[in-house]
Amino acid sequence: MNLALSTTLHTTFADAVERTRKALSEQGFGILTEIDMKATLKAKLGEDMEDYLILGACNPPLAHRAVNVDRQIGLLLPCNVVVRADTATENSVIIDAMNPALMVEVTGEPGLNDVADDATTKLRAAIDSLTAHRA
């Protein structure tokens, strides 16, 4: 099983972040958390790294359905979406969204299959829409 649903954009990091937020919003996801790994590691450890932003995306209806199946599923929410500079290619940004099927795999709860399928459809649509727009 793939860990992530991914795509690569040939653009600036700031543009990729903006486009990712918009694509997620269009699929009903709000951003609950935001972790700037580059800034955090620099501030806390003095370490440098490429641009790397973790967005905690949540689609409330899907989250509600998931917690109604298994209350512990909150441990795997929100769906993390990572926007990160591709260190191998200039002006290239990778977007990785957590594969929702992992919820089913990790929990072994078959009741989460429908929720994971719906979440996958929405996240895949968001990821696919990124490459459908201008590059």
Side-chain angles (χ1 to χ4, degrees), residues 21-99:
R21 287 179 188 281
K22 184 176 188 289
L24 289 168
S25 176
E26 289 171 352
Q27 292 300 318
F29 290 90
I31 305 302
L32 300 180
T33 61
E34 183 174 316
I35 302 168
D36 183 337
M37 289 293 292
K38 179 180 180 175
T40 300
L41 294 180
K42 184 66 173 176
K44 301 293 183 185
L45 303 175
E47 296 289 337
D48 290 315
M49 73 175 296
E50 71 276 9
D51 288 322
Y52 193 112
L53 184 67
I54 303 170
L55 302 173
C58 179
N59 179 298
L62 293 175
H64 181 249
R65 286 172 50 203
V67 297
N68 280 333
V69 172
D70 184 343
R71 290 293 200 226
Q72 287 185 324
I73 203 67
L75 295 166
L76 301 176
L77 298 177
C79 293
N80 283 331
V81 177
V82 174
V83 182
R84 59 189 172 94
D86 183 347
T87 58
T89 307
E90 192 174 336
N91 290 324
S92 187
V93 182
I94 299 166
I95 293 85
D96 294 314
M98 181 192 82
N99 184 345

Side-chain angles (χ1 to χ4, degrees), residues 81-124:
V81 177
V82 174
V83 182
R84 59 189 172 94
D86 183 347
T87 58
T89 307
E90 192 174 336
N91 290 324
S92 187
V93 182
I94 299 166
I95 293 85
D96 294 314
M98 181 192 82
N99 184 345
L102 292 172
M103 289 190 308
V104 180
E105 182 80 18
V106 168
T107 65
E109 175 56 65
L112 290 171
N113 277 321
D114 288 341
V115 179
D117 289 347
D118 290 347
T120 298
T121 297
K122 290 182 177 300
L123 285 171
R124 172 54 57 205

